[in-house]
Amino acid sequence: MFNSSFDAVIPIVCVVLAALAAMAAEAFRGKGERMPIGLLGLVGLVAAGVSSALLWNRNAASFGVLVADNFGLFVTGILVVVGILTILFSSEVLERDGIPAGEYYALMLFSLSGMIMMAMANDLLVVFVALEIMSIAVYVLTGIRRDKPEATEASFKYFLLGAFSSAFFLYGIAFTFGVAGTTRLDAIGELMAAQAMVDNPLVLLAMGLLMVGFCFKISVVPFHMWTPDAYQGAPAIVTGFMSTGVKAAAFAAFARVFLSAFEPYIADWAPAIWVLAALTMIVGTVVGVAQVNLKRMLAYSSIAHGGYLLVGLLSANEVGKAAILFYLAAYAVTNLAAFGVIAVLGARDQGNDELRDYAGLWHSRPALATLMTVSLLSLGGLPPTAGFIGKWYIFAAAVSAGYYGLAIIGVLTSVISVFFYLRVVVMMFMKDREVAGMPAQVSGLGMAALAVAIAAIFYLGILPTQVLDLAARSISTIF
Amino acid sequence: MPETLQFYLFAALAIGASALVIGQRNPMHSVLLLIASFGALAGLYVLLDAPFVAVAQIIIYAGAIMVLFLFVVMLLNAPQEDAHKDPFALVRQSGLTRVGAVLALLLLLQLSWALLSVSGLAGPVDAGGDAAVVSSVPELGRVLFTDYMFAFEATSVLILVAMVGAVVLAGRRENEE
Amino acid sequence: MIPLSHYLIVSAVLFSIGTTGVFLRRNLITVLLSIEIMLNAVNLSFIAFGRTHGTVDGQIIVFFVMTVAAAEAAVGLAIVISLFRHRESLNPDAFTALRW
């Protein structure tokens, strides 16, 4: 029989209702009439955030498959912030670029509901359905600018490789089901613990296949091939949403599945993750150095950051688990800010996302240039930004778990990555303006979003202890 | 017909039809071959005491999803020459494609090795449980609407997303030519 | 009495055929069909495993997989239509971004 508590579903319901309201508003909107559909989204997201805060420490579970434990609620908080920032940035981009507002907000909010489901899911089937909700909406959002062939091609490539990896993920669920007879993560965990002495090839197969599925979603090398094209082809604001929300949700589910259900087999999957983490950090950084398109460069930067997160996952000790959560929060705010700036500076017919388009930005748009600089410094991991603290804790966790090699690789790649981040900063400050075509004014909402983002980056970087404590307390509930 | 013969018949049909699907030049032929493969799979499901799923497979997969594919193929009306003309094109594929095909073969070999080496799989598939229970539709309904309730509701969101997405991407816009 | 491993081998073969189809990329429709083959292969595994455990859970999971497959097919075909509007071709080589 199912659990009588509906509490854990409330954040998800808030977001879904907001999405439905957005669709209804679009349906009843007169032609040419302007409606603040984004406001509906904001209301829903704030409601979801408030309900998540109220659910803190209550460990509510619903239907046996959703657990609103502190870990899930923390990630939900990150996702709500991602959603709010995305809506704030989107408001001026949509009209400028001719994107249908109602459908855009509806898809974005539905995707977000899928992400929250993934963060809270206690069942592999629910993880799968939530993954599909999140992904299908994002495939559509990537190609929502039908007039741009590169967006459509990016959307197809993303869809193809996404569906391909979903099939692998599903096969992994099948083998897990075959061994355990259930898809509930807690039941699987107990069974695995009981069986850990027996080396069952089916379990190894299952773990491998599940890992392939997850690694695709978080753009781990060598499953990262879709990321540069998808991030470059999609509208900048969609890329910001994708690179932060999808990664956070997928990582949360990855951590939950492998650190609780498959934890007894950690000796088997840890070496694989070691290799993947190292490869991802190295390839992401090295190839990123060669990029001249800002969105593509940030795509490789995202790939590298996935590698750092994997290091935290691998460390799997107390510090490591809290570090993952903190890093996700820092990374989400930072990446969204960077893509937000790119989105706001674009124009309908040209993306203005090449490196040279940013020449002399400091002279013409100092506020945006400052935000971009702060975001890039945070991505590079320089103090006093959020990124610095995040990386510090990840590497500290790695060292305390004994993974000195990975920590060294991580530090080295961070140092190299600072090079390509600083290159953009230098471009913005030094050269004279060459390119016209950037919009003259940033709307109030956009500036508000930028202000929030920059504040968050510094807050996490200078006063991280509050959030870190929160993250540490979140871990104890499930692991 | 003895059950073993039925199994081999359906299995051969499913595998054969699927293998032909990826080799066809005309996408219409591919879709029709896949329908045949799905029919064979439905037969396998009946052998596994899952008659309801077998019927659902025919109705949903072969009857709805494949018809959707047929609609799109006919709508796009792509000429046959679009596919590779050269009969040896498969052999002369780019290097990466060959790597991919080899990887797929390795995947198959590894899966087969794993499946054959696990001891627990050698027993007959219908040893555990009662056929009457497994194939009963009321039992299906009971479990679906109790244990899998949330997944069921979540699926409705999924379908809604797919509908909105399909309309957004492929529908006609008012301000377009 | 047919052993479980036989069903799982059939499933593995189908899965591999689907994987090969995705890599071969004859035309865009065939690629989507290959993904459907892969999902069906997994369905067969689910039903077989479910029968072994003597529960209906395997069949129910298959319902959900079918629904997901339908949703994916719908969106995938919509993207193909959107692509077709740009290039009038189903040949993957015509699309410059579709490299691995």
Side-chain angles (χ1 to χ4, degrees), chain A residues 154-174:
Chain A
S155 165
F156 184 77
K157 184 165 184 175
Y158 191 7
F159 167 80
L160 180 57
L161 293 179
F164 186 55
S165 74
S166 286
F168 274 85
F169 186 69
L170 192 65
Y171 212 4
I173 299 182

Side-chain angles (χ1 to χ4, degrees), chain A residues 318-382:
Chain A
E318 287 307 310
V319 184
K321 294 162 187 168
I324 299 176
L325 285 179
F326 183 86
Y327 199 88
L328 275 174
Y331 166 77
V333 174
T334 310
N335 229 28
L336 203 48
F339 278 109
V341 171
I342 299 180
V344 155
L345 285 177
R348 182 173 187 140
D349 294 318
Q350 48 184 130
N352 284 337
D353 51 10
E354 299 288 324
L355 199 52
R356 58 173 186 276
D357 295 329
Y358 286 77
L361 193 64
W362 172 250
H363 304 292
S364 54
R365 316 291 297 275
L368 289 175
T370 314
L371 179 65
M372 193 57 153
T373 309
V374 170
S375 315
L376 291 172
L377 291 179
S378 181
L379 284 176
L382 295 171

